[in-house]
mmCIF file of all heavy atoms in Angstrom:
data_model
loop_
_atom_site.group_PDB
_atom_site.id
_atom_site.type_symbol
_atom_site.label_atom_id
_atom_site.label_comp_id
_atom_site.label_asym_id
_atom_site.label_seq_id
_atom_site.Cartn_x
_atom_site.Cartn_y
_atom_site.Cartn_z
ATOM 1 N N ALA A 131 87.600 164.010 82.877
ATOM 2 C CA ALA A 131 86.347 163.618 83.546
ATOM 3 C C ALA A 131 86.630 162.681 84.726
ATOM 4 O O ALA A 131 86.026 162.811 85.793
ATOM 5 C CB ALA A 131 85.412 162.953 82.533
ATOM 6 N N TRP A 132 87.558 161.750 84.517
ATOM 7 C CA TRP A 132 87.913 160.853 85.639
ATOM 8 C C TRP A 132 88.514 161.662 86.792
ATOM 9 O O TRP A 132 88.149 161.483 87.955
ATOM 10 C CB TRP A 132 88.920 159.784 85.181
ATOM 11 C CG TRP A 132 88.305 158.621 84.462
ATOM 12 C CD1 TRP A 132 88.295 158.409 83.120
ATOM 13 C CD2 TRP A 132 87.620 157.500 85.043
ATOM 14 N NE1 TRP A 132 87.645 157.231 82.825
ATOM 15 C CE2 TRP A 132 87.227 156.651 83.989
ATOM 16 C CE3 TRP A 132 87.291 157.128 86.350
ATOM 17 C CZ2 TRP A 132 86.535 155.457 84.197
ATOM 18 C CZ3 TRP A 132 86.606 155.930 86.566
ATOM 19 C CH2 TRP A 132 86.231 155.122 85.500
ATOM 20 N N ASP A 133 89.428 162.585 86.455
ATOM 21 C CA ASP A 133 90.085 163.383 87.501
ATOM 22 C C ASP A 133 89.086 164.245 88.254
ATOM 23 O O ASP A 133 89.214 164.462 89.456
ATOM 24 C CB ASP A 133 91.149 164.314 86.879
ATOM 25 C CG ASP A 133 92.330 163.537 86.319
ATOM 26 O OD1 ASP A 133 92.459 162.344 86.646
ATOM 27 O OD2 ASP A 133 93.115 164.124 85.535
ATOM 28 N N MET A 134 88.087 164.755 87.539
ATOM 29 C CA MET A 134 87.137 165.698 88.145
ATOM 30 C C MET A 134 85.952 164.994 88.808
ATOM 31 O O MET A 134 85.078 165.666 89.369
ATOM 32 C CB MET A 134 86.582 166.651 87.062
ATOM 33 C CG MET A 134 87.622 167.492 86.361
ATOM 34 S SD MET A 134 88.476 168.610 87.475
ATOM 35 C CE MET A 134 87.180 169.803 87.794
ATOM 36 N N GLY A 135 85.886 163.683 88.687
ATOM 37 C CA GLY A 135 84.756 162.960 89.286
ATOM 38 C C GLY A 135 83.479 163.055 88.456
ATOM 39 O O GLY A 135 82.380 162.834 88.957
ATOM 40 N N TRP A 136 83.612 163.363 87.170
ATOM 41 C CA TRP A 136 82.409 163.442 86.316
ATOM 42 C C TRP A 136 81.976 162.064 85.816
ATOM 43 O O TRP A 136 80.874 161.918 85.297
ATOM 44 C CB TRP A 136 82.663 164.330 85.093
ATOM 45 C CG TRP A 136 83.056 165.741 85.414
ATOM 46 C CD1 TRP A 136 82.771 166.443 86.561
ATOM 47 C CD2 TRP A 136 83.817 166.628 84.574
ATOM 48 N NE1 TRP A 136 83.312 167.701 86.488
ATOM 49 C CE2 TRP A 136 83.953 167.853 85.276
ATOM 50 C CE3 TRP A 136 84.391 166.518 83.317
ATOM 51 C CZ2 TRP A 136 84.647 168.940 84.749
ATOM 52 C CZ3 TRP A 136 85.077 167.610 82.779
ATOM 53 C CH2 TRP A 136 85.206 168.813 83.495
ATOM 54 N N VAL A 137 82.880 161.090 85.893
ATOM 55 C CA VAL A 137 82.505 159.734 85.455
ATOM 56 C C VAL A 137 81.708 159.114 86.602
ATOM 57 O O VAL A 137 82.255 158.737 87.629
ATOM 58 C CB VAL A 137 83.753 158.881 85.125
ATOM 59 C CG1 VAL A 137 83.340 157.497 84.639
ATOM 60 C CG2 VAL A 137 84.621 159.575 84.079
ATOM 61 N N LYS A 138 80.412 159.056 86.403
ATOM 62 C CA LYS A 138 79.506 158.666 87.495
ATOM 63 C C LYS A 138 79.406 157.142 87.598
ATOM 64 O O LYS A 138 79.610 156.429 86.609
ATOM 65 C CB LYS A 138 78.104 159.233 87.235
ATOM 66 C CG LYS A 138 78.054 160.751 87.199
ATOM 67 C CD LYS A 138 78.133 161.315 88.596
ATOM 68 C CE LYS A 138 78.120 162.822 88.700
ATOM 69 N NZ LYS A 138 78.896 163.600 87.798
ATOM 70 N N PRO A 139 79.064 156.649 88.803
ATOM 71 C CA PRO A 139 78.813 155.214 88.921
ATOM 72 C C PRO A 139 77.679 154.793 87.981
ATOM 73 O O PRO A 139 76.818 155.607 87.645
ATOM 74 C CB PRO A 139 78.378 155.035 90.382
ATOM 75 C CG PRO A 139 78.788 156.280 91.082
ATOM 76 C CD PRO A 139 78.843 157.378 90.057
ATOM 77 N N ILE A 140 77.691 153.534 87.604
ATOM 78 C CA ILE A 140 76.623 153.003 86.743
ATOM 79 C C ILE A 140 75.381 152.776 87.602
ATOM 80 O O ILE A 140 75.457 152.093 88.632
ATOM 81 C CB ILE A 140 77.079 151.663 86.108
ATOM 82 C CG1 ILE A 140 78.262 151.918 85.172
ATOM 83 C CG2 ILE A 140 75.927 150.969 85.394
ATOM 84 C CD1 ILE A 140 79.024 150.669 84.786
ATOM 85 N N VAL A 141 74.274 153.365 87.190
ATOM 86 C CA VAL A 141 73.030 153.173 87.945
ATOM 87 C C VAL A 141 72.023 152.462 87.041
ATOM 88 O O VAL A 141 71.624 153.005 86.006
ATOM 89 C CB VAL A 141 72.444 154.538 88.391
ATOM 90 C CG1 VAL A 141 71.165 154.328 89.199
ATOM 91 C CG2 VAL A 141 73.462 155.325 89.187
ATOM 92 N N PRO A 142 71.627 151.235 87.411
ATOM 93 C CA PRO A 142 70.649 150.520 86.576
ATOM 94 C C PRO A 142 69.343 151.307 86.487
ATOM 95 O O PRO A 142 68.891 151.883 87.473
ATOM 96 C CB PRO A 142 70.443 149.191 87.320
ATOM 97 C CG PRO A 142 71.677 149.040 88.159
ATOM 98 C CD PRO A 142 72.105 150.419 88.531
ATOM 99 N N VAL A 143 68.759 151.334 85.286
ATOM 100 C CA VAL A 143 67.522 152.100 85.092
ATOM 101 C C VAL A 143 66.289 151.329 85.566
ATOM 102 O O VAL A 143 65.209 151.888 85.664
ATOM 103 C CB VAL A 143 67.332 152.496 83.604
ATOM 104 C CG1 VAL A 143 68.418 153.446 83.154
ATOM 105 C CG2 VAL A 143 67.297 151.257 82.690
ATOM 106 N N ALA A 144 66.450 150.035 85.811
ATOM 107 C CA ALA A 144 65.322 149.222 86.277
ATOM 108 C C ALA A 144 65.916 148.012 86.996
ATOM 109 O O ALA A 144 67.126 147.798 86.949
ATOM 110 C CB ALA A 144 64.486 148.753 85.083
ATOM 111 N N ASP A 145 65.072 147.236 87.676
ATOM 112 C CA ASP A 145 65.575 145.998 88.282
ATOM 113 C C ASP A 145 65.122 144.817 87.431
ATOM 114 O O ASP A 145 63.969 144.411 87.477
ATOM 115 C CB ASP A 145 65.065 145.854 89.714
ATOM 116 C CG ASP A 145 65.606 144.574 90.358
ATOM 117 O OD1 ASP A 145 66.456 143.906 89.718
ATOM 118 O OD2 ASP A 145 65.185 144.247 91.477
ATOM 119 N N ARG A 146 66.053 144.316 86.626
ATOM 120 C CA ARG A 146 65.745 143.147 85.782
ATOM 121 C C ARG A 146 66.595 141.963 86.223
ATOM 122 O O ARG A 146 66.894 141.071 85.444
ATOM 123 C CB ARG A 146 66.025 143.465 84.309
ATOM 124 C CG ARG A 146 65.168 144.578 83.737
ATOM 125 C CD ARG A 146 65.373 144.719 82.236
ATOM 126 N NE ARG A 146 64.395 145.626 81.649
ATOM 127 C CZ ARG A 146 64.603 146.922 81.420
ATOM 128 N NH1 ARG A 146 65.767 147.468 81.743
ATOM 129 N NH2 ARG A 146 63.663 147.666 80.877
ATOM 130 N N SER A 147 67.007 141.994 87.495
ATOM 131 C CA SER A 147 67.995 141.011 87.935
ATOM 132 C C SER A 147 67.446 139.586 87.992
ATOM 133 O O SER A 147 68.202 138.638 88.237
ATOM 134 C CB SER A 147 68.596 141.416 89.272
ATOM 135 O OG SER A 147 67.554 141.583 90.208
ATOM 136 N N ALA A 148 66.132 139.413 87.768
ATOM 137 C CA ALA A 148 65.600 138.049 87.678
ATOM 138 C C ALA A 148 66.160 137.357 86.430
ATOM 139 O O ALA A 148 66.176 136.126 86.339
ATOM 140 C CB ALA A 148 64.086 138.079 87.628
ATOM 141 N N GLN A 149 66.580 138.146 85.460
ATOM 142 C CA GLN A 149 67.223 137.567 84.266
ATOM 143 C C GLN A 149 68.717 137.913 84.303
ATOM 144 O O GLN A 149 69.095 139.014 84.708
ATOM 145 C CB GLN A 149 66.600 138.139 82.984
ATOM 146 C CG GLN A 149 65.195 137.607 82.721
ATOM 147 C CD GLN A 149 64.591 138.223 81.466
ATOM 148 O OE1 GLN A 149 64.410 139.432 81.397
ATOM 149 N NE2 GLN A 149 64.291 137.397 80.477
ATOM 150 N N SER A 150 69.542 136.977 83.873
ATOM 151 C CA SER A 150 70.979 137.231 83.937
ATOM 152 C C SER A 150 71.636 136.980 82.581
ATOM 153 O O SER A 150 71.141 136.205 81.769
ATOM 154 C CB SER A 150 71.639 136.346 84.995
ATOM 155 O OG SER A 150 71.666 135.011 84.554
ATOM 156 N N VAL A 151 72.751 137.693 82.380
ATOM 157 C CA VAL A 151 73.530 137.535 81.156
ATOM 158 C C VAL A 151 74.909 137.025 81.536
ATOM 159 O O VAL A 151 75.571 137.603 82.403
ATOM 160 C CB VAL A 151 73.664 138.894 80.417
ATOM 161 C CG1 VAL A 151 74.440 138.715 79.113
ATOM 162 C CG2 VAL A 151 72.298 139.496 80.152
ATOM 163 N N GLY A 152 75.329 135.952 80.894
ATOM 164 C CA GLY A 152 76.682 135.436 81.090
ATOM 165 C C GLY A 152 77.544 135.911 79.931
ATOM 166 O O GLY A 152 77.201 135.678 78.769
ATOM 167 N N VAL A 153 78.624 136.608 80.231
ATOM 168 C CA VAL A 153 79.505 137.143 79.189
ATOM 169 C C VAL A 153 80.809 136.344 79.223
ATOM 170 O O VAL A 153 81.474 136.305 80.261
ATOM 171 C CB VAL A 153 79.800 138.640 79.444
ATOM 172 C CG1 VAL A 153 80.825 139.175 78.447
ATOM 173 C CG2 VAL A 153 78.515 139.461 79.386
ATOM 174 N N ILE A 154 81.151 135.703 78.128
ATOM 175 C CA ILE A 154 82.415 134.947 78.081
ATOM 176 C C ILE A 154 83.454 135.822 77.394
ATOM 177 O O ILE A 154 83.360 136.089 76.194
ATOM 178 C CB ILE A 154 82.267 133.622 77.312
ATOM 179 C CG1 ILE A 154 81.050 132.838 77.801
ATOM 180 C CG2 ILE A 154 83.538 132.791 77.444
ATOM 181 C CD1 ILE A 154 80.747 131.597 76.959
ATOM 182 N N GLY A 155 84.430 136.290 78.153
ATOM 183 C CA GLY A 155 85.485 137.143 77.598
ATOM 184 C C GLY A 155 85.365 138.560 78.123
ATOM 185 O O GLY A 155 84.351 139.227 77.907
ATOM 186 N N ALA A 156 86.412 139.004 78.826
ATOM 187 C CA ALA A 156 86.384 140.335 79.458
ATOM 188 C C ALA A 156 87.214 141.342 78.683
ATOM 189 O O ALA A 156 87.852 142.215 79.254
ATOM 190 C CB ALA A 156 86.882 140.232 80.897
ATOM 191 N N GLY A 157 87.234 141.214 77.340
ATOM 192 C CA GLY A 157 87.883 142.219 76.498
ATOM 193 C C GLY A 157 86.926 143.382 76.259
ATOM 194 O O GLY A 157 85.848 143.458 76.865
#
Side-chain angles (χ1 to χ4, degrees):
W132 279 102
D133 292 346
M134 300 297 288
W136 301 335
V137 182
K138 298 284 179 317
I140 295 165
V141 181
V143 295
D145 181 6
R146 297 187 170 95
S147 56
Q149 288 178 299
S150 71
V151 182
V153 174
I154 311 173

